[in-house]
Amino acid sequence: MLTLSYSRIDGYLRCALSYYFKYEKGIVPEKVSPALVLGSAVHGTIAHYYRRHMAGKPLTTEELEKAFEEDWTARTTVPVKWSNGTTPEDMQAQGTKLVQAYVDSISENIVTPMAVELELRSSLTNPVTGETLPGVELLGYLDRLDADGTITELKTSRSSWSQFQVDTALQADIYTYMVAQQDGRDEGACRYNIIVKNKKPRVQVLETTRGPKQWDRMYRTIEQVVHAIADKRFYPNRGFLCPTCDFVSECFRW
């Protein structure tokens, strides 16, 4: 059984050789990027915020700051690639502001989620043609799922997103498909809450929908990725992201 998450599929599409190093060879990067640590800590704290709200025990401002501090501390126990001019203290302070900005943006009209950090598994069938991919399982980790089936994904970003980005996001294709499969729906909705890392952080909300047309394209994309992995087609995709890749050394030795 080949289990594919959105991250694995997107990783192959971005750079097949990077996928090979990470998932086929199992190479663990010596250090992680500060942006990844920050995003993970923000995600973890906001998930905790929602869980407390679901339990009827909302966090105070002080508890929210403490929760982020603890999450940040836990996630920075691994080696981090701190760059010149970036300090752990500055980034921790930024993370606190990001979390508070998010909570402030939803506090007046907060919707209690049905689930947060939800794991889903699904087989893969083309809703248009009825084709299936035997031996392939989709794995999803949803940031938040509401009772009406709407998915909410949280992002931290240096700049605002466009509507085009969410309307073409493969992640939204996959997650709405999996929820629709589970609930017997023929369409799905996904909301992106994007915390923009300005000097004064702000939260951008973009919504998008999916149906059989988008899921057909998703199926055909994943089908090609599955065939390429089976054929061991691993090659570099050189571009502007190469200098910050976790596998630069391995790539040059390839």
Side-chain angles (χ1 to χ4, degrees):
M1 176 69 70
L2 176 62
T3 300
L4 289 175
S5 64
Y6 159 71
S7 296
R8 290 186 70 145
I9 297 166
D10 184 63
Y12 185 90
L13 293 171
R14 287 177 181 271
C15 180
L17 190 58
S18 175
Y19 175 97
Y20 170 76
F21 292 136
K22 183 173 183 178
Y23 297 109
E24 299 289 320
K25 298 291 288 183
I27 298 174
V28 178
E30 294 180 0
K31 295 182 178 182
V32 299
S33 74
L36 179 61
V37 174
L38 178 63
S40 297
V42 169
H43 269 78
T45 303
I46 291 175
H48 177 59
Y49 172 84
Y50 276 126
R51 289 193 183 97
R52 285 286 298 267
H53 184 79
M54 292 163 68
K57 300 177 180 178
L59 294 173
T60 65
T61 299
E62 292 74 19
E63 288 173 330
L64 184 68
E65 291 180 2
K66 182 64 175 178
F68 179 76
E69 179 183 353
E70 292 175 353
D71 208 323
W72 173 263
T73 300
R75 294 177 193 274
T76 51
T77 55
V78 300
V80 180
K81 292 186 288 189
W82 300 112
S83 58
N84 293 334
T86 302
T87 68
E89 295 76 19
D90 289 344
M91 191 155 281
Q92 180 180 347
Q94 181 188 33
T96 301
K97 291 180 180 179
L98 297 181
V99 170
Q100 190 60 60
Y102 181 84
V103 170
D104 289 345
S105 75
I106 64 171
S107 58
E108 292 186 5
N109 299 296
I110 185 170
V111 175
T112 303
M114 185 174 72
V116 294
E117 294 190 327
L118 176 65
E119 177 181 309
L120 289 181
R121 293 177 182 268
S122 170
S123 58
L124 187 57
T125 300
N126 189 318
V128 174
T129 66
E131 298 171 90
T132 62
L133 275 179
V136 176
E137 176 187 54
L138 289 179
L139 172 63
Y141 296 101
L142 282 61
D143 288 343
R144 171 181 144 189
L145 181 65
D146 292 344
D148 65 356
T150 299
I151 300 159
T152 298
E153 285 299 304
L154 176 67
K155 302 294 180 184
T156 56
S157 176
R158 289 183 296 178
S159 58
S160 300
W161 283 29
S162 67
Q163 186 64 45
F164 178 81
Q165 281 178 274
V166 299
D167 285 343
T168 59
L170 180 61
Q171 183 184 47
D173 294 343
I174 294 172
Y175 287 0
T176 55
Y177 171 82
M178 296 180 76
V179 171
Q181 285 283 95
Q182 174 182 267
D183 297 345
R185 302 171 185 262
D186 57 8
E187 61 181 9
C190 186
R191 177 187 303 111
Y192 280 86
N193 288 348
I194 303 139
I195 311 176
V196 184
K197 297 183 285 188
N198 295 337
K199 188 172 183 180
K200 183 179 180 180
R202 66 182 184 87
V203 179
Q204 179 189 24
V205 179
L206 294 172
E207 298 180 349
T208 188
T209 58
R210 296 291 191 274
K213 179 180 179 180
Q214 291 81 20
W215 295 331
D216 169 60
R217 184 181 179 90
M218 173 206 73
Y219 176 94
R220 290 183 286 114
T221 299
I222 296 174
E223 181 181 39
Q224 293 304 311
V225 170
V226 169
H227 292 332
I229 292 172
D231 293 342
K232 301 188 182 302
R233 284 183 253 156
F234 304 118
Y235 49 87
N237 179 20
R238 303 189 187 279
F240 72 96
L241 294 176
C242 288
T244 59
C245 177
D246 291 328
F247 307 105
V248 172
S249 299
E250 289 81 6
C251 183
F252 280 107
R253 289 196 298 267
W254 178 72

